[in-house]
Amino acid sequence: MAAYLQWRRFAFFDCETVKKERPGLEGGGANGNALLLPPGIAVCDSGRGSLVFGDILPAAYKLRVTHLYQLKQHSILVSIGEDEEGINPLVKVWNLEKHDGGNPLCTRIFPAIPGNKPTVVSCLTVHENLNFMAIGFTGGSVVLTKGDITRDRHSKTQILHEGSYPITGLAFRQSGKTTHLFVATTESIQCYTLSVKDYPRQELDTRGCGLRCCTLSDPSQDLQFIVAGDECVYLYQPDERGPCFAFEGQKLIAHWYRGYLVIVSKDRKTSPKSDFAGGDPQNSDKQIVNIYDLSNKFIAYSSVFDDVVDVLAEWGCLYVLTRDGKLHTLQEKDTQTKLEMLFKKNLFEMAINLARSHHLDSDGLAEIFRQYGDHLYNKGNHDGAIQQYIRTIGKLEPSYVIRKFLDAQRIHNLTAYLQTLHLQSLANADHTTLLLNCYTKLKDIARLEEFIKTSESEVHFDVETAIKVLRQAGCYSHAVYLAEKHAHHEWYLKVQLEDIKNYQEALHYIGRLPFEQAESNMKRYGKILMHHVPSETTELLKVLCTDYRPAGDREGPAVPEGQKANPEEFIPIFANNSRELRAFLEHMSEVQPDSPQGVFDTLLELRLQNWAHEQDPKVKDKLHNEAISLLKSGRFRSAFDKALVLCQMHSFKDGVLYLYEQGKLFQQIMHYHMQSEQHRKVVEVCELYGDQEPALWEQALGYFAHKEEDCKEHIRAVLKHIETKNLMPPLLVVQTLAHNSTATLSVIKDYLVSKLQKQSRQIEQDEQKIQKYREETKRIRKEIEELKNSPKIFQKTKCSICTGALELPSVHFLCSHSFHQHCFESYSESGSECPTCLPENRKVMDMIRAQEQKRDLHDHFQHQLKCAQDGFAVVADHFGRGVFNKLTLVTDLPAGRAAAGMEAGLPPPRDSLARAQRST
């Protein structure tokens, strides 16, 4: 039972007397400006925008009106009254929207007597769906009308309840499709279920109430049936009794208004039960009107009135009708005004409950929570204050609260606030930092672990910020856990390598990452890992650069093409780790022959370094062979110069010579041997490559010629090849060897003798050719002379083209070639030239024309030669164009010059033709 004694009283309603100008009200008489209703009003009701009053004057009834019920959702008024003396009440149903002669239309009239037992009506109620009406009687019976209550033919009346105690209250309750009827008597409370056949009854209590002392609440109190007893107020559900409230005093009237329970009670503590009513209507004692807020447990209004007739509710106000005809209005204050009244009394909890019951928005509630929190904070109740501040999250700026609790003694309150802030996903990076610092200062490891070990879907903080704070606080294990759980790979590796120094675990973690992340992290942390765990790091790099798959997936299908790193990019990681570098490079060169060139360049350099510093002959020989094998692998065609420089830097002789040979740098090979003064090797180089580059022999001769030691044997070998291939003039050979004091005449004796003998033989051959050409010239001149002075007899019998027998017409040339005319016309390009001799003659003519063109170059050549800075370049240019070529040509002379030519002894042209044509 809820105690009433401690309920606070407030003036949440303003009371005024209704004036004459009040709309919707009419009445006679005046008391100043106040509205006075006619005397004798016994009953009243409200609804549908109207206040309805019933008096003893003959209007609707001839005698008096005893009961009124105005429906809230329809303009239907139901009244009960008497037209004649005796117990014969009549029920009339009025349609207020229709009129009959100025009065509302009465749609139905029927007697209210249950059966044949006349009795007085005690109460009346009508269902808002117009399908149910219940009338209670002082004799203890209840009559139920089912059907359309506005028409006789569509309704049916029956006795629902019979008893021995007067009926004091009736109320319909509609919940979904279920309809209940509460029945109150002076001794019991019962409930009928009207939506079920046979109307089952449930007895709820064995105590009753007085007349007009019960009402039905609204949905805010779950449509409970409220019974106001003299000691308590009881609430009932259709199947059980609910809570009760100890409101003392004799109750006269009970009403429900907008979540409030309105009770009119006597001002005296005594409450005798006389008859069945709650009190004597002629009693002139003071009466108290109390308005209770059952949800928030306070009295919203309390005042004393004289002789209250009834309390009505309409137009958003309460109206109190007193027996003197005055109508008092109770206007509820607005929510903000009521809250301010509570704030002044520091009743914040009550203000919060009130705001919620009035459906105040979240911003308004947050402001109440803030004020409540400030109040508790100022009183020193920090625990209570932080609970109120927590309720402002999302509306109040967090910094307002945080500044109040930064003191070290209040850090646990700040922690609770920040935790809630994170749970609602409203925290920023600074809040996360502050919360984690709170945990660490409190040394609350359990709460810290609970905070960071939430599931992935429940993370309410910035993970990266949390990791940073945990690192600063020295909570490395928690930072590692958070980084690994949320896949912050870089932070995980930073903590492992820089803080915990767990290099092995960091390396294993990288091996579990996807390819791109594993590659980038190995580039970033490879040097550190190589320094501390070189073997394991090298193995991971081998996998990363060949066939990488994250650990755990190595047995799965091969990764797509392109999922392998460039090994050349990881070479700098192996600084000061030459053994691991060599193992890595050799692995890459074996399993991946198409590795970048940098891999082979570095491997060659590494092998040459090892070879150069090795002291053991056997090991040195092995390293030598490995280096040569690498050079011969064909991997340095595009990096020839780099390989050559590496071999030269490390004095790797065989490698240098091999590269010279591959690059066809024969002169460099010979110079290399010359610098080493390996005379035999110089001659061998000339023998090997002299055919490809004859100048080697000349260089070898010059080399030996400048040596003071005895090189006769080598000079003889060189001279032999020079003589055989006629590479140098003898005079030049003699001049070259003149610089060598050890090269005597005996050294070149054989060379000179052989050379002179060859020149003698050549002279003899030239003289024979001269004699032959002279005889040929004489013969030709004689032939020319004969052609000029003697007739030419053509005795050819065959055509020179088709070799067929000549037939007329035919064509003959002085060169002794004869042709059929049709053969000549078919093959001849010119009608005056022999087709057989034409190619040779054309060559001669081209040479003559070229010579004639070069005649004009003499002046131009002389001019260029005088003006040029480099005269030799001009001579070389003209020499290349054949300006200085000497041509001796014999061609036919013009007619005017033929005689002069013959007088000068020049032979006529051999291909001059004489064309003879005979016709058949």
Side-chain angles (χ1 to χ4, degrees), residues 83 117 133 155 161-162 260 276 337 444 481 512 536 590 598 676 702 809 828 873 892 898 913:
D83 281 343
K117 299 178 182 179
M133 180 171 60
S155 63
H161 173 81
E162 287 185 317
Y260 293 109
F276 67 93
T337 302
D444 193 347
Y481 169 83
R512 298 194 297 268
E536 293 84 350
E590 292 174 3
S676 303
S828 175
D892 47 351
L913 67 86

Side-chain angles (χ1 to χ4, degrees), residues 205-348:
D205 207 340
T206 56
R207 73 186 75 191
C209 65
L211 190 64
R212 300 198 300 171
C213 290
C214 60
T215 186
L216 188 72
S217 69
D218 59 18
S220 65
Q221 282 291 334
D222 200 18
L223 297 174
Q224 297 184 89
F225 187 57
I226 300 176
V227 175
D230 291 339
E231 296 180 356
C232 296
V233 172
Y234 302 92
L235 280 68
Y236 297 92
Q237 293 282 357
D239 53 353
E240 63 181 352
R241 193 181 82 177
C244 65
F245 300 92
F247 299 154
E248 296 182 353
Q250 182 181 355
K251 313 300 186 303
L252 302 176
I253 301 172
H255 278 292
W256 186 265
Y257 167 73
R258 289 189 174 183
Y260 293 109
L261 176 62
V262 182
I263 298 290
V264 179
S265 59
K266 285 188 176 182
D267 198 13
R268 294 177 302 178
K269 297 283 180 80
T270 57
S271 177
K273 281 188 179 179
S274 60
D275 299 332
F276 67 93
D280 184 3
Q282 301 298 325
N283 194 348
S284 61
D285 292 340
K286 299 290 185 181
Q287 296 171 352
I288 302 175
V289 176
N290 288 323
I291 302 177
Y292 299 96
D293 188 328
L294 300 183
S295 299
N296 301 312
K297 295 182 173 56
F298 64 82
I299 301 175
Y301 181 80
S302 180
S303 181
V304 177
F305 291 88
D306 292 330
D307 293 333
V308 176
V309 177
D310 205 346
V311 178
L312 306 174
E314 195 62 38
W315 304 306
C317 299
L318 280 174
Y319 294 92
V320 179
L321 176 63
T322 55
R323 200 166 301 279
D324 58 6
K326 292 183 180 180
L327 191 64
H328 306 272
T329 177
L330 299 179
Q331 177 71 47
E332 186 178 8
K333 298 179 184 294
D334 62 87
T335 303
Q336 191 59 40
T337 302
K338 291 189 286 186
L339 292 176
E340 291 176 357
M341 294 171 64
L342 295 175
F343 293 158
K344 290 179 181 179
K345 298 181 179 182
N346 294 326
L347 300 175
F348 293 98

Side-chain angles (χ1 to χ4, degrees), residues 693-914:
E693 193 166 347
L696 293 176
W697 291 107
E698 301 175 18
Q699 295 176 11
L701 182 62
Y703 167 74
F704 290 123
H706 288 78
K707 290 295 181 181
E708 294 300 327
E709 63 265 24
D710 188 2
C711 299
K712 295 179 181 179
E713 180 181 355
H714 302 304
I715 291 174
R716 288 192 185 97
V718 173
L719 288 175
K720 182 178 180 180
H721 284 85
I722 290 176
E723 178 190 356
T724 303
K725 299 182 180 180
N726 195 21
L727 300 178
M728 295 176 64
L731 183 58
L732 184 58
V733 172
V734 174
Q735 291 176 347
T736 302
L737 292 175
H739 297 86
N740 193 332
S741 60
T742 62
T744 60
L745 185 59
S746 61
V747 176
I748 61 173
K749 176 182 177 181
D750 294 339
Y751 168 74
L752 292 176
V753 171
S754 175
K755 199 67 177 175
L756 291 173
Q757 289 176 352
K758 286 184 178 179
Q759 288 182 355
S760 298
R761 289 194 294 270
Q762 184 65 38
I763 290 171
E764 291 178 358
Q765 293 176 0
D766 291 343
E767 289 178 349
Q768 291 176 3
K769 288 183 179 180
I770 291 170
Q771 184 62 32
K772 181 180 177 182
Y773 290 152
R774 285 176 179 172
E775 293 176 356
E776 181 68 19
T777 302
K778 289 180 181 179
R779 184 186 63 78
I780 292 174
R781 286 179 176 175
K782 182 180 179 180
E783 184 178 348
I784 293 171
E785 190 67 28
E786 290 178 354
L787 289 173
K788 290 180 178 180
N789 301 321
S790 302
K792 179 68 173 178
I793 300 173
F794 299 102
Q795 296 179 346
K796 288 281 188 176
T797 60
K798 293 184 178 181
C799 176
S800 298
I801 293 179
C802 65
T803 68
L806 283 175
E807 297 177 356
L808 297 177
S810 60
V811 179
H812 304 276
F813 287 87
L814 294 178
C815 59
S816 300
H817 293 127
S818 300
F819 308 93
H820 292 118
Q821 184 176 358
H822 60 85
C823 290
F824 174 76
E825 292 175 351
S826 300
Y827 290 93
S828 175
E829 296 181 8
S830 174
S832 60
E833 293 186 77
C834 172
T836 303
C837 299
L838 179 60
E840 192 67 28
N841 291 339
R842 184 164 294 175
K843 291 180 182 179
V844 175
M845 296 303 295
D846 291 341
M847 294 172 66
I848 293 173
R849 281 190 292 270
Q851 191 174 22
E852 290 176 350
Q853 292 175 0
K854 292 174 183 177
R855 290 173 186 169
D856 298 333
L857 295 176
H858 176 72
D859 295 338
H860 182 63
F861 167 70
Q862 292 296 335
H863 176 72
Q864 283 189 332
L865 190 60
K866 289 178 181 180
C867 299
Q869 294 180 356
D870 187 1
F872 181 77
V874 176
V875 174
D877 178 59
H878 284 75
F879 187 83
R881 288 192 272 168
V883 173
F884 305 106
N885 292 348
K886 183 178 181 181
L887 300 177
T888 303
L889 300 176
V890 178
T891 182
D892 47 351
L893 299 175
R897 299 175 59 186
M902 290 183 181
E903 292 176 359
L906 294 176
R910 186 179 180 86
D911 58 347
S912 298
L913 67 86

